[in-house]
Amino acid sequence: MAEYDYLVVGAGLFGAVFTQKAREAGKKVLVIDKRDTIAGNVYTEDVEGIKVHKYGAHIFHTNDTEVWNYVTRFATFNRFTNSPVANYKGELYSLPFNMYTFNKMWGVITPQEAADKIEEQKKEAGITEPKNLEEQAISLVGRDIYEKLIKGYTEKQWGRPCTELPSFIIKRLPVRLTFDNNYFNALYQGIPVGGYTKLVENMLGDTEVRLGVDYLENKEELDKLADTVVYTGAIDAYFGYSLGNLEYRSVRFENELLDIPNFQGNAAVNYTDRETLWTRIIEHKWFEFGKDENGNDLPKTVISREYSSEWKPGDEPYYPVNDEKNGALYQKYKKMAEDEQAKISAQGRNVIFGGRLGEYKYYDMDQVIARALEVCKENNL
Ligand code: UDP
């Protein structure tokens, strides 16, 4: 008998949900993470009273009542609604694409005029069935918006031409013929009061957590500690990149603490031209309305410029590149994972792969939680 029922590798959202459910079911769990911090990429760090989203902005949003009911057990959420501003060479546009955007772009006043304009540009482009992100974008919002608000941003973000990217990426963004700047079509939305680190801390409770422990470097020894490993790291790394590496995008953040109260007046400003090197600037205090925990105005501000780059070994992976080539390679790794599961099950052991990296999927936070809850059910937790 191993000492623990579960060894959870990675203290991000998937690992935290799994741990919480397993503990609730009376299981013995050990959580490890190679970082010195919990919460994976939702980690928030306190700087002068501002919760800085250290690994990129995270705005919780979901349509899934089960997920919402679950997550609100561990935090209260504020009323933050994401509405980024796009800055195209000094012209400001509302996001997502809605009547404010169409009015600024074309001077159209009514939804019918906007719809006609989009239809006209779609026709001119001759697109009937969109085959890639470029065609999908033009058929959704027309060429002008594609050129000014999508093309440059997307090519910086993904380092690939829009004609070579899957169309689902742009379908993440709503298109509306109403005056509504809410970036998400979600029933529930907000930022956990006290930050995401606190949320994850509350999920983990008094579970034993060992930080600064690299699973893959100490696999043999760590595997002996538990019957089942819940692995939330990159699936290709688990197999030593033996079939070659899956492609990821990485992000570099340039953080600045400024001695002014307000830099850009919004949490997110996207720089949608191709020339500006960063994709967006996040001003973290606006996720909490510029206030500290006691409701006082914060005198300073922290901004982060985001630079997107191709992942290489040693970098932090952020976004899986879910195109055809990588999808096919992932399927091969998935098969290896199934073979591994079959092999070790003979010894009464198991390994579960989960999360954005473990499943190589562009999951949002709520989808990760939903998937973790599902995996728990499959495992009778
Ligand atoms: N996107 C864009 N212009 C923008 C914002 C987003 O073209 O101003 C596109 C881009 O292709 C991006 C995708 O929409 O990769 C999804 O954006 P989202 O904000 O969901 O990305 P995330 O917040 O996950 O980085």
Side-chain angles (χ1 to χ4, degrees):
M1 274 295 284
E3 192 179 342
Y4 298 93
D5 298 302
Y6 295 102
L7 171 69
V8 174
V9 179
L13 273 183
F14 190 98
V17 171
F18 191 95
T19 300
Q20 192 281 325
K21 295 298 285 182
R23 290 294 308 283
E24 202 167 61
K27 302 293 180 188
K28 286 195 75 183
V29 184
L30 171 64
V31 179
I32 60 171
D33 200 296
K34 69 176 171 190
R35 287 189 187 153
D36 291 324
T37 50
I38 58 163
N41 280 5
V42 305
Y43 177 73
T44 42
E45 183 178 64
D46 204 291
V47 178
E48 306 256 347
I50 302 165
K51 304 279 176 317
V52 174
H53 295 214
K54 186 107 185 276
Y55 301 96
H58 285 81
I59 299 115
F60 193 84
H61 57 99
T62 190
N63 273 313
D64 186 328
T65 302
E66 189 190 341
V67 167
W68 182 248
N69 288 343
Y70 177 75
V71 82
T72 51
R73 282 171 60 190
F74 308 99
T76 303
F77 283 70
N78 72 13
R79 62 160 188 86
F80 183 81
T81 301
N82 194 25
S83 50
V85 168
N87 181 328
Y88 177 77
K89 302 186 178 181
E91 293 170 24
L92 300 184
Y93 292 92
S94 298
L95 290 175
F97 312 116
N98 73 91
M99 283 304 295
Y100 289 111
T101 328
F102 305 140
N103 172 260
K104 179 94 190 247
M105 187 69 67
W106 299 315
V108 293
I109 304 293
T110 66
Q112 190 57 55
E113 284 168 7
D116 291 348
K117 195 83 189 165
I118 293 170
E119 192 50 36
E120 175 194 315
Q121 299 202 346
K122 183 181 164 182
K123 270 221 182 88
E124 267 170 30
I127 299 160
T128 42
E129 255 186 53
K131 288 186 300 294
N132 53 50
L133 196 153
E134 174 172 296
E135 295 184 1
Q136 181 69 68
I138 295 172
S139 31
L140 286 171
V141 289
R143 184 171 292 278
D144 292 337
I145 289 181
Y146 169 67
E147 300 278 353
K148 285 190 170 180
L149 305 184
I150 298 175
K151 190 170 193 290
Y153 186 91
T154 301
E155 298 195 348
K156 284 191 287 187
Q157 160 89 353
W158 295 97
R160 288 157 177 74
C162 290
T163 47
E164 285 173 24
L165 286 164
S167 32
F168 85 87
I169 294 178
I170 198 67
K171 287 204 210 137
R172 289 168 59 86
L173 273 60
V175 178
R176 303 192 186 105
L177 294 172
T178 53
F179 291 91
D180 180 359
N181 287 333
N182 183 349
Y183 199 63
F184 301 118
N185 282 325
L187 262 179
Y188 313 102
Q189 181 171 182
I191 302 282
V193 174
Y196 286 94
T197 309
K198 186 92 195 110
L199 166 78
V200 172
E201 216 170 83
N202 290 342
M203 285 178 168
L204 295 174
D206 62 0
T207 307
E208 188 182 345
V209 180
R210 295 186 198 162
L211 297 174
V213 178
D214 190 316
Y215 172 70
L216 295 176
E217 276 181 13
N218 306 283
K219 186 170 181 303
E220 211 173 311
E221 195 184 315
L222 290 164
D223 279 345
K224 290 185 193 134
L225 296 178
D227 300 325
T228 298
V229 172
V230 178
Y231 176 83
T232 70
I235 188 166
D236 53 346
Y238 183 93
F239 293 107
Y241 305 105
S242 59
L243 306 175
N245 73 271
L246 291 161
E247 292 174 307
Y248 301 89
R249 294 297 286 173
S250 192
V251 188
R252 181 172 63 83
F253 300 96
E254 253 175 38
N255 299 332
E256 267 185 84
L257 172 65
L258 304 175
D259 206 0
I260 53 168
N262 192 354
F263 174 75
Q264 63 184 17
N266 202 34
V269 176
N270 293 358
Y271 286 75
T272 57
D273 65 303
R274 188 70 189 82
E275 292 73 30
T276 305
L277 293 177
W278 53 85
T279 51
R280 56 188 166 193
I281 300 182
I282 301 298
E283 187 171 11
H284 302 267
K285 71 190 304 184
W286 303 123
F287 289 125
E288 300 186 292
F289 310 100
K291 308 271 187 200
D292 70 12
E293 270 148 38
N294 304 315
N296 300 314
D297 288 328
L298 290 156
K300 296 184 185 176
T301 195
V302 176
I303 60 163
S304 302
R305 286 188 175 78
E306 261 181 65
Y307 300 85
S308 182
S309 63
E310 195 67 15
W311 174 88
K312 52 183 186 342
D315 293 346
E316 294 285 353
Y318 283 81
Y319 296 91
V321 180
N322 288 123
D323 60 9
E324 256 173 57
K325 183 180 99 184
N326 286 291
L329 183 55
Y330 169 66
Q331 288 307 322
K332 291 186 187 162
Y333 275 117
K334 197 171 165 228
K335 175 77 177 48
M336 281 180 86
E338 285 157 11
D339 292 347
E340 170 95 346
Q341 283 157 343
K343 192 178 93 190
I344 66 175
S345 73
Q347 305 151 20
R349 295 173 47 231
N350 193 13
V351 54
I352 295 167
F353 293 82
R356 210 186 242 216
L357 301 176
E359 295 178 60
Y360 195 66
K361 210 163 169 196
Y362 190 2
Y363 274 137
D364 285 331
M365 288 181 281
D366 64 323
Q367 296 169 316
V368 168
I369 294 172
R371 181 72 193 128
L373 292 173
E374 197 176 276
V375 170
C376 288
K377 276 182 204 149
E378 286 164 16
N379 287 273
N380 302 316
L381 297 172

